[in-house]
Each structure stands twice: as C-alpha cells, then as structure tokens.
Amino acid sequence: MSKNSTDSSNEAVLSSLDGFTTFSFGGRHIRFKAPYSLERYVDVVRWDDGYLVVLAKYRHNAEPEEEYIDLKPILDGLYIDSASFLKPIKSVRIA
C-alpha cells in the first residue's frame, strides 16, 4: 500500500465524551475512564502497536499537553486478546 492511499479498515478512532475515552476499531467500542479535566483529544502524535501518544486539551491548561495511553493492559483486563485486536491497526485518528 502506498503512503498516499488510505484504508479506513485499518484505522481506529479515539474520542472522548462524558468523562470517558472511547477507542473504536473493527466494530468494537472500548470505553474507559478519562482524566477528570480532559476536554478533548486534539491529535495523535504516535501509534505504536497499542501505545498512543496524543495531544490532549485539559481545563487547567490553555495549551494541549502530551498524554500517553497504553491499550494493552486495558484490553487484557477486558479479556480481549490484545495482540490479535491491535495487529491490523495501522493508524488512529481523533473523532
């Protein structure tokens, strides 16, 4: 696949609403508690096989801050095989 083509079937979506973070891929929507002052996710800086570096906007800071999300322990806690769930994901975008 060339860099110019996009395949949405390999793209996950990160969002936040009502105090929860949602990570969606392949028909699954995984929700977990977000930091109390999170307003929204701004951008995905890096996706590395279950580890996200994102820019997040918090109420207490005028500028977005770098935030880290490790999905593997969350998936494992939900009895989802993290290796097989995460393998097809090539990119993550903010909803």
Side-chain angles (χ1 to χ4, degrees), residues 14-79:
L14 181 72
S15 62
S16 64
L17 181 65
D18 297 331
F20 287 90
T21 293
T22 303
F23 186 85
S24 302
F25 180 74
R28 287 193 163 159
H29 306 284
I30 298 151
R31 287 178 18 129
F32 48 96
K33 193 75 174 137
Y36 75 94
S37 64
L38 177 69
E39 290 181 350
R40 68 185 182 282
Y41 293 108
V42 177
D43 192 21
V44 175
V45 176
R46 188 177 76 208
W47 165 253
D48 185 14
D49 190 35
Y51 188 76
L52 281 159
V53 179
V54 297
L55 291 179
K57 174 66 180 79
Y58 292 97
R59 283 190 289 258
H60 61 272
N61 192 345
E63 297 298 317
E65 299 176 35
E66 206 167 74
E67 178 70 46
Y68 310 94
I69 302 170
D70 188 355
L71 291 169
K72 289 180 182 182
I74 295 167
L75 293 167
D76 293 343
L78 295 170
Y79 302 101

